[in-house]
Amino acid sequence: MAIGAFAEGALADGGEGYSGRVTPFVVLSCVVASSGGILFGYDLGISGGVTSMDSFLKRFFPEVYRQSQMQDTKVSHYCEFNSELLTMFTSSLYIAGLVATLVAASITRRYGRRVSMLIGGTIFVAGSVFGGAAVNVPMLILNRILLGIGLGFTNQSIPLYLSEMAPPRYRGAINNGFELCISLGILFANILNYFVIKITAGWGWRISLSMAALPAAFLTIGAIFLPETPSFIIQHDGDTNKARILLQKLRGTTSVQKELDDLVSASNLSRTTQYPFRNIFKRKYRPQLVIALLIPFFNQVTGINVMNFYAPVMFRTIGLKERASLFSSVVTRLCATFANIIAMMVVDRFGRRKLFLIGGVQMILSQFTVGAILAAKFKDYEDMDNEYAYLVLITMCVFVAGFAWSWGPLTFLVPAEVCPLEIRSAGQSIVVAVVFLMAFVIGQIFLEVLCSIKSATFFVFGGWICLMTLFVYLFLPETKKLPMEQMEQVWSRHWFWKKIVGEKVEKKQANSGKTALPSL
C-alpha cells in the first residue's frame, strides 16, 4: 500500500473525457489574475527592507536605530531589532487581512471572483498612498491596515479564479503562477530597496512604500476586463449556454460537454448549501477542513516569513552592513524565483506530494544548519566572521528554494483544488485567514523569540518542518491532473480518510453511475 498516494495509472485517467489545451485566452486571463500575487510579495519585501534602512528607523523607530548602531554595548546582537512598535508595524497588516478575507468569502461567493479582485486592488492603491505620505507611526499603521484589507480580498479570490479557469492537467502550473508572482513581487521590492538606499537625502523609503500602487493599479484595471469563471457563471446565473461559450474559448475546442456536465452537477449541489462556513465542519468535509487548516499553518511555521519580513534585518544582525544586507535579500529571492519556475514545470508531472516531501527535507537540513552555524560562530556581543555570515546566506538560499518549489505554491493550490464548489470559497477563506493569523503571530513574536532563545529559534522551525513533512507523507493524497469536480474520489481511496468519508463517497458515486478509482 502506498500511504496517502494514488496508483499512477489510476490518477492519469482522472480527467478522461475532458478536451482542450492551454489557449492564449486562458493564459492572458490567468496572468492578469496572478499579478495579484505581486501585491502580496511586494509588501513582504518592502516591509522587511524599509525596517532595515537607517533613515526610516531614525524617523519612526529611533530606539531601534540606536540599538542597531551598537551605541548600547549591553544589547545582544540577537536583540538589536527587538521592538514592539516595529513588530506592530510589520504585523498589523495581517490582522486586517484576516478579518477582510472572512468578509471576502461572502462577496466572492455571491458577486464573483472578479469583484473581490477589484475591491482588493482598489483598497491596496489607497493604502500605498498613506505609506508614501506617512509622517508618523499612526499613518504607517493605517497604511498597513489598508494593505491588509486589500490582500485579504485578493488572496481569497485569486487562487479560486486560477483553479477554476485552468484545464485540469495544467492546473498546478497555472495556479503556481500566483506563487511565482509573490516571489517576483518580493524580488522587485528587494531590488528597489537596494537602489533607493543610495538616496542620500533619506527619503528613499517613501518611494518603496508608494510604489506598491503600481501592481495594485495593474490588477484593478485588468480585473475590469477579466471574464468570470465558468463555475461561477453556472452557480450564480444558471446560464449553461454562456458557460459553454466561455469554456470553448478557454479550452480552444467545441468538445466541452463532459466538463460542462461536471460543472453543472457541482453547481446543483452547491445551490443546496446555504451556509458554506457551517457546512465545511460536517463530517463529509473533514479532510478538506483539516487540509485548509493545517497546510497554511504549516506553511507559516517553516520560518519563511522570517525571511520575507526580516531578511535584511537578519543579515544586518549577523554583521552585514546596510547595503550588503539588502543585496543579500535580492540574492535569496532570485533563488526562490528560479525555484518557483521549476515548480511550475514539474508540479503536474511529478505531483504535489513529491514536491512537498523533497522541499520539506531540504528545508529541515537548511534550518538545522543555520542554527548550528549561529550556535557555534555567532556570539551575543561579537561580530560574526564574514565567511560564516555568507555561509548563512548560502544556506538560506537553499532554504528559500526548497520552500519555493514546494510549500510556497502548493499552500494555495492544494486546498483550492480539493474543496468542492459548495465549500470552495469558505475553504479558501480559511486558508488565507490561517496564513494571515500565523503571519501576524510570527511577525509579533519572532524578534522577541530570537532575542530570548537565540540560535535555537532555527531548530524550532526545523522541528516544525519535520512534523509537517510527516503529515504530508501520511495524510495528503496525490491530486495531480484530477478534475476538481471529481476530487471526492481521492478520499475513498486514502488509507485514513476512507474511514471517515469513504463509504458515503462510494455510495454517491454508485448512485450517480460514475466509476470510482480502484482502492489501494
Side-chain angles (χ1 to χ4, degrees):
M1 179 179 72
I3 295 179
F6 272 113
E8 200 67 30
L11 182 60
D13 295 332
E16 187 176 0
Y18 281 31
S19 302
R21 55 187 173 84
V22 176
T23 61
F25 182 67
V26 76
V27 170
L28 180 60
S29 299
C30 292
V31 165
V32 173
S34 294
S35 68
I38 296 178
L39 276 63
F40 194 21
Y42 187 88
D43 176 77
L44 290 171
I46 284 298
S47 59
V50 297
T51 53
S52 72
M53 295 181 185
D54 289 341
S55 58
F56 182 81
L57 292 175
K58 280 192 289 187
R59 184 179 184 94
F60 298 105
F61 308 98
E63 178 67 19
V64 176
Y65 174 74
R66 182 180 62 80
Q67 293 181 175
S68 69
Q69 297 303 303
M70 296 302 294
Q71 294 172 14
D72 186 349
T73 56
K74 296 181 180 179
V75 177
S76 166
H77 286 310
Y78 287 102
C79 304
E80 288 175 10
F81 291 88
N82 186 23
S83 164
E84 290 184 5
L85 194 59
L86 184 61
T87 55
M88 181 185 297
F89 164 75
T90 302
S91 57
S92 56
L93 176 148
Y94 299 99
I95 285 296
L98 189 158
V99 175
T101 193
L102 299 177
V103 175
S106 297
I107 294 176
T108 301
R109 177 178 169 85
R110 183 173 300 180
Y111 301 108
R113 288 65 169 135
R114 286 177 60 251
V115 172
S116 285
M117 289 187 231
L118 285 167
I119 294 173
T122 302
I123 296 176
F124 200 92
V125 170
S128 66
V129 173
F130 281 95
V135 295
N136 51 42
V137 172
M139 284 189 71
L140 286 178
I141 301 299
L142 180 59
N143 154 257
R144 302 292 289 171
I145 290 173
L146 290 175
L147 296 184
I149 295 172
L151 290 175
F153 277 88
T154 56
N155 285 12
Q156 195 277 337
S157 56
I158 290 173
L160 294 183
Y161 186 89
L162 297 176
S163 294
E164 292 176 354
M165 293 289 277
R169 70 180 67 182
Y170 302 112
R171 186 175 59 246
I174 289 176
N175 200 290
N176 280 10
F178 183 65
E179 177 65 22
L180 175 61
C181 284
I182 292 177
S183 193
L184 288 173
I186 299 174
L187 177 62
F188 295 156
N190 289 339
I191 293 173
L192 182 62
N193 284 334
Y194 179 72
F195 283 104
V196 300
I197 198 67
K198 299 179 181 180
I199 299 176
T200 56
W203 47 267
W205 58 269
R206 292 192 184 275
I207 296 177
S208 294
L209 294 179
S210 59
M211 288 291 285
L214 288 183
F218 177 81
L219 173 66
T220 304
I221 295 171
I224 296 174
F225 302 99
L226 288 178
E228 260 302 349
T229 68
S231 294
F232 178 77
I233 291 172
I234 295 172
Q235 179 189 30
H236 185 260
D237 302 328
D239 191 341
T240 55
N241 188 53
K242 182 179 179 181
R244 178 185 289 106
I245 294 172
L246 177 59
L247 270 177
Q248 291 172 347
K249 193 173 182 180
L250 290 171
R251 305 295 181 249
T253 178
T254 57
S255 303
V256 296
Q257 191 60 47
K258 176 65 167 63
E259 185 172 0
L260 183 65
D261 289 343
D262 284 345
L263 291 175
V264 171
S265 297
S267 178
N268 290 337
L269 179 59
S270 175
R271 286 197 180 97
T272 66
T273 306
Q274 294 184 340
Y275 306 104
F277 274 107
R278 184 184 302 173
N279 279 273
I280 199 172
F281 288 94
K282 290 183 177 179
R283 183 182 178 88
K284 66 178 179 178
Y285 299 127
R286 193 63 46 79
Q288 292 92 335
L289 176 62
V290 170
I291 287 172
L293 287 169
L294 289 186
I295 293 294
F297 172 83
F298 286 140
N299 171 288
Q300 293 299 297
V301 296
T302 60
I304 188 60
N305 269 349
V306 169
M307 290 300 299
N308 293 334
F309 294 160
Y310 299 121
V313 170
M314 283 179 57
F315 291 132
R316 287 199 67 179
T317 296
I318 63 176
L320 300 181
K321 301 302 181 183
E322 185 179 28
R323 288 188 60 188
S325 68
L326 291 171
F327 182 73
S328 299
S329 299
V330 174
V331 172
T332 58
R333 188 44 48 181
L334 282 171
C335 295
T337 302
F338 180 70
N340 285 143
I341 295 171
I342 293 177
M344 292 182 68
M345 294 188 295
V346 303
V347 65
D348 290 311
R349 178 180 301 177
F350 297 144
R352 286 65 162 142
R353 279 173 49 83
K354 288 181 181 178
L355 293 185
F356 268 131
L357 296 173
I358 294 172
V361 172
Q362 186 172 336
M363 289 189 292
I364 290 167
L365 296 176
S366 301
Q367 290 285 30
F368 286 161
T369 301
V370 170
I373 295 172
L374 294 182
K377 298 297 180 179
F378 190 49
K379 307 305 179 184
D380 284 326
Y381 306 106
E382 299 176 11
D383 289 338
M384 178 184 281
D385 294 338
N386 278 348
E387 56 266 30
Y388 289 107
Y390 286 110
L391 181 59
V392 170
L393 171 62
I394 293 170
T395 308
M396 295 314 295
C397 286
V398 175
F399 169 78
V400 297
F403 180 87
W405 61 45
S406 60
W407 284 86
L410 298 179
T411 293
F412 290 101
L413 168 63
V414 172
E417 68 183 0
V418 301
C419 288
L421 183 60
E422 62 270 19
I423 60 166
R424 192 171 297 155
S425 182
Q428 185 62 24
S429 287
I430 290 174
V431 171
V432 178
V434 173
V435 166
F436 281 142
L437 176 61
M438 292 306 301
F440 171 79
V441 171
I442 291 174
Q444 282 291 110
I445 69 172
F446 171 70
L447 293 178
E448 180 66 37
V449 170
L450 183 65
C451 181
S452 299
I453 65 174
K454 301 179 174 59
S455 59
T457 304
F458 299 91
F459 291 103
V460 172
F461 285 134
W464 277 111
I465 302 171
C466 290
L467 180 61
M468 62 199 241
T469 303
L470 181 62
F471 169 82
V472 168
Y473 180 74
L474 293 176
F475 299 111
L476 187 68
E478 183 55 73
T479 56
K480 68 173 184 177
K481 298 182 181 179
L482 192 66
M484 293 169 70
E485 288 69 36
Q486 299 176 18
M487 198 63 69
E488 61 186 12
Q489 298 176 59
V490 303
W491 315 118
S492 64
R493 302 188 66 250
H494 187 273
W495 73 276
F496 176 79
W497 296 119
K498 68 181 180 181
K499 301 173 185 177
I500 298 176
V501 301
E503 184 178 352
K504 291 183 178 180
V505 169
E506 289 167 0
K507 287 181 179 179
K508 180 178 176 181
Q509 291 167 342
N511 293 336
S512 63
K514 293 181 180 179
T515 303
L517 297 175
S519 300
L520 291 176

